[in-house]
Amino acid sequence: MNSSSAPATEVIGRLKAEYPDARTELNWTNPLELLVATMLSAQTTDVRVNGVTESLFAKYRTAEDYAGAPPGELEEDIRPTGFYRNKARSLRGMARALVDEHEGEVPRTMQELVALPGVGRKTANVVLGNAFGMDEGIVVDTHVRRVSGRLGLTQSEDPAKIEQDLMKVVPEEDWTIFSHLLIFHGRRTCRARKPDCPSCIINDICPSAHKYKT
Ligand code: SF4
């Protein structure tokens, strides 16, 4: 931490009190569903993903189901999430790898997860942290990036570097919840445009509070 950054543990404590239900806003009931939902969430909203996964998860229950899906049909099933051709290709490739290399199960290590087609470190962190309760890293999405920058917890714009900066100041047992807290705060108060600093519960420790006076 430097003099122009908010104390991470204090931020976490206050945000936990403010958002006791902070968790992923994607709907899922098992690791495969979370992996699929997270892959679909690229470049779209959780609400839009949840809009397709209810029927998608009823239709495709196993990795085999995705791996064997006719391409055009899977594309149509996920179309509202955007970039549906690429996403369908990634889902089929990921599922094929699960079937061929992991007996149809979602693996539990970062190394194995990022080796799956279409799965990056961010998606792997979401699955490890939320489906398996393993704090392996910190999910850096657009909200985490913006809010942690405003809080002075990182000076970087690069997600990999931001994650490294955050892992140095956030206690390991809070790595998963930390992302949820910043995402909740970013959606509700520390919005991209017009953050609501006057009513923000961490405005007294945020080095950016004075920049957004209304
Ligand atoms: S004080 Fe403003 S900039 Fe800082 S975290 Fe709160 S809303 Fe964001």
Side-chain angles (χ1 to χ4, degrees), residues 11 15 146-147 150-151 185-186 189-191 194-212:
V11 168
L15 293 182
R146 180 180 71 256
V147 179
R150 286 175 178 169
L151 289 169
H185 196 56
T189 303
C190 193
R191 297 179 293 267
K194 296 205 179 160
D196 187 8
C197 301
S199 60
C200 175
I201 51 148
I202 47 177
N203 60 13
D204 58 320
I205 53 173
C206 174
S208 300
H210 65 281
K211 293 185 197 162
Y212 302 103

Side-chain angles (χ1 to χ4, degrees), residues 14-182:
R14 291 199 207 174
L15 293 182
K16 277 182 179 172
E18 182 77 359
Y19 309 116
D21 300 325
R23 59 169 190 88
T24 173
E25 293 182 270
L26 294 169
N27 294 334
W28 57 280
T29 62
N30 60 48
L32 178 63
E33 290 184 358
L34 180 59
L35 177 54
V36 169
T38 307
M39 291 172 73
L40 291 177
S41 72
Q43 312 288 328
T44 190
T45 63
D46 291 353
V47 171
R48 203 164 274 265
V49 174
N50 290 338
V52 306
T53 51
E54 192 174 345
S55 54
L56 190 76
F57 293 162
K59 182 171 174 184
Y60 302 88
R61 296 185 177 274
T62 66
E64 285 275 9
D65 293 339
Y66 289 99
E73 195 172 323
L74 183 56
E75 284 175 8
E76 282 308 310
D77 290 336
I78 63 169
R79 192 182 180 115
T81 67
F83 302 98
Y84 57 94
R85 288 202 180 90
N86 282 342
K87 288 180 181 177
R89 196 177 308 123
S90 292
L91 287 181
R92 280 200 314 279
M94 172 278 290
R96 173 52 54 202
L98 292 188
V99 172
D100 290 347
E101 296 157 30
H102 301 284
E103 299 176 345
E105 299 293 321
V106 177
R108 293 170 173 247
T109 69
M110 175 64 74
Q111 197 181 0
E112 291 171 305
L113 279 166
V114 297
L116 298 171
V119 177
R121 188 173 166 91
K122 175 169 162 268
T123 296
N125 268 332
V126 170
V127 172
L128 289 170
N130 297 282
F132 299 131
M134 295 162 66
D135 290 298
E136 284 278 315
I138 296 177
V139 173
V140 178
D141 78 341
T142 182
H143 299 289
V144 174
R145 184 163 147 170
R146 180 180 71 256
V147 179
S148 59
R150 286 175 178 169
L151 289 169
L153 299 176
T154 181
Q155 309 298 323
S156 180
E157 291 290 319
D158 170 51
K161 180 73 175 43
I162 293 171
E163 184 182 4
Q164 292 304 314
D165 290 343
L166 295 176
M167 285 163 76
K168 286 183 197 136
V169 294
V170 175
E172 193 170 336
E173 65 272 19
D174 285 328
W175 284 356
T176 300
I177 190 69
F178 181 78
S179 294
H180 295 317
L181 293 170
L182 259 58

